[in-house]
Amino acid sequence: MTERQAAVRTIVLATNNAHKVSEISTALNFEGWEFKTLRELGIHSEPDEDANTFEGNALIKAMAAREASGGLAALADDSGLEVDALDGAPGVYSARYAEDEIDAQTGLTAEGLPIDSANNKKLLREMADVPDDKRTARFVCTLVFIEEDGAKHVARGTIEGRIGYDERGDEGFGYDPLFYPDEFHGEKTLAEVSQTEKNAISHRGNALRALKRELD
Ligand code: IMP
């Protein structure tokens, strides 16, 4: 091996979401690390995410990816929105909050909405009678990193904010158009800022920075 060819460490990412892949590889820029999605490795792994905590579900995904890849180091995340007025819902069910309104054939609601929009509409309905000072919420992200030898690292990040009264902004995904981070003093939702601005304060960004500190 020449000096220029540093040893490569391949990390399997238990996601196929391009947004997450670029955010993770930018944040964990250790020399020689190379991130590969399950799809890039030709692996199909969709374990049941049936734990009732973010950490439990991230652990299920990381363990399954490690096993399916024949023992590569594996990184998984699980995230969601906790709304105080709804006792922490939708929580670990964030991705499928309005699932019962979705037609299995089309993947859309009867009005033609995809799941993310249906989730937002349902949240607005549930919050219709909740006053300003009770609309507090947070996004949570838990990362689980399992090394080749089985050593496990867990990192958590949050972002505090409030739920709005209508959807604002076209950036981001999921509940971003309804979420006003405290950092923006109620002026902008997470869907009204660039990806870079979001990453600097987001739950996933904070969890990645915590994991980086732990591994440094
Ligand atoms: P997962 O971690 O990809 O399973 O995400 C769970 C769900 O939580 C997503 O489908 C979204 O509904 C929601 N969620 C997680 N992170 C975000 C975010 O950064 N913005 C908006 N919604 C999010």
Side-chain angles (χ1 to χ4, degrees):
M1 187 169 29
T2 67
E3 264 182 64
R4 292 178 62 79
Q5 289 172 311
V8 171
R9 183 182 194 192
T10 304
I11 318 289
V12 56
L13 293 178
T15 179
N16 286 314
N17 176 324
H19 258 123
K20 290 189 187 175
V21 176
S22 89
E23 189 178 351
I24 290 169
S25 47
T26 306
L28 301 180
N29 56 349
F30 294 113
E31 199 177 335
W33 282 34
E34 157 191 88
F35 293 97
K36 295 275 184 195
T37 62
L38 292 163
R39 194 178 295 133
E40 284 170 329
L41 292 172
I43 296 169
H44 182 82
S45 169
E46 270 185 40
D48 282 340
E49 297 173 36
D50 54 6
N52 55 10
T53 62
F54 296 113
E55 181 175 337
N57 283 327
L59 184 60
I60 288 171
K61 287 187 268 189
M63 288 199 321
R66 178 165 175 267
E67 197 174 309
S69 68
L72 289 178
L75 178 63
D77 86 326
D78 199 58
S79 55
L81 179 68
E82 290 179 351
V83 179
D84 293 325
L86 304 178
D87 295 327
V92 293
Y93 302 106
S94 293
R96 42 204 156 108
Y97 190 39
E99 196 175 36
D100 55 357
E101 298 168 28
I102 298 290
D103 180 298
Q105 296 278 303
T106 63
L108 302 171
T109 64
E111 300 81 40
L113 296 177
I115 184 78
D116 276 7
S117 307
N119 287 341
N120 285 341
K121 301 263 179 294
K122 177 170 177 180
L123 182 58
L124 285 176
R125 282 198 309 275
E126 299 287 327
M127 298 289 286
D129 298 326
V130 179
D132 271 3
D133 62 333
K134 297 267 179 346
R135 299 180 78 91
T136 50
R138 71 204 51 76
F139 280 117
V140 179
C141 173
T142 300
L143 292 167
V144 171
F145 179 54
I146 308 182
E147 302 203 51
E148 293 82 349
D149 66 1
K152 199 172 77 190
H153 306 267
V154 178
R156 186 180 146 96
T158 58
I159 175 173
E160 299 285 334
R162 279 166 195 275
I163 302 302
Y165 294 88
D166 53 16
E167 295 177 60
R168 296 277 169 99
D170 303 313
E171 303 294 324
F173 71 103
Y175 300 93
D176 282 345
L178 293 180
F179 189 82
Y180 286 83
D182 289 348
E183 281 84 351
F184 300 158
H185 311 290
E187 288 163 11
K188 293 183 279 197
T189 69
L190 268 185
E192 293 180 291
V193 297
S194 68
Q195 184 72 39
T196 311
E197 267 181 279
K198 177 179 167 181
N199 293 352
I201 56 166
S202 78
H203 49 312
R204 197 166 296 101
N206 290 336
L208 281 164
R209 284 180 281 276
L211 183 62
K212 173 111 195 297
R213 281 194 297 276
E214 176 160 338
L215 298 174
D216 253 341

